[in-house]
Amino acid sequence: MTVTGHYASVRYLVDDVRAAVGFYTTHLGFTLNSNAGPAFADVVRGPLRLLLSGPASSGARATPPEAAGAGRNRIQLVVDDLDAEIGRLHAAGLSFHGEVVTGPGGRQILLPDPAGNLVELFQPADRS
């Protein structure tokens, strides 16, 4: 697949590119776009291109040491049934940060990837 301008790209710094690719493709519905492991790979889901940069990648080397760790920013993946997703991911042996949080816009829970980067699983509130 050739990447074109219709993707929004987000770079995540990861400790292990192979583990990150496995996590996103196995558990979250991404497909592998390119793999230059162990330094770099990218995976896509819809219009999102997730750049997975290992320690040897140029993206990681350009990052100052004080900003190199997993942060508070996260990608959000919208799901139809949050409880079903939580059950499926728990059954696969994955753990979450905290519990489900409910607000006026919907419900969410945070899932760390193998490097500690956060993925927010979000189910919008029913507006009917």
Side-chain angles (χ1 to χ4, degrees), residues 30-118:
F30 284 80
T31 57
L32 181 64
N33 186 58
S34 69
N35 189 348
F40 172 84
D42 67 312
V43 294
V44 295
R45 177 179 162 167
L48 174 60
R49 178 178 175 228
L50 191 55
L51 311 172
L52 304 170
S53 296
S57 71
S58 59
R61 291 191 321 264
T63 304
E66 64 273 9
R72 294 171 49 119
N73 296 319
R74 57 190 179 249
I75 60 171
Q76 180 192 73
L77 301 179
V78 176
V79 300
D80 292 327
D81 185 339
L82 184 61
D83 296 322
E85 285 297 306
I86 291 169
R88 182 181 69 79
L89 294 167
H90 268 304
L94 302 179
S95 299
F96 295 88
H97 278 307
E99 300 297 323
V100 173
V101 174
T102 302
R107 301 169 61 231
Q108 64 184 344
I109 194 164
L110 300 179
L111 175 69
D113 77 4
N117 296 301
L118 297 176

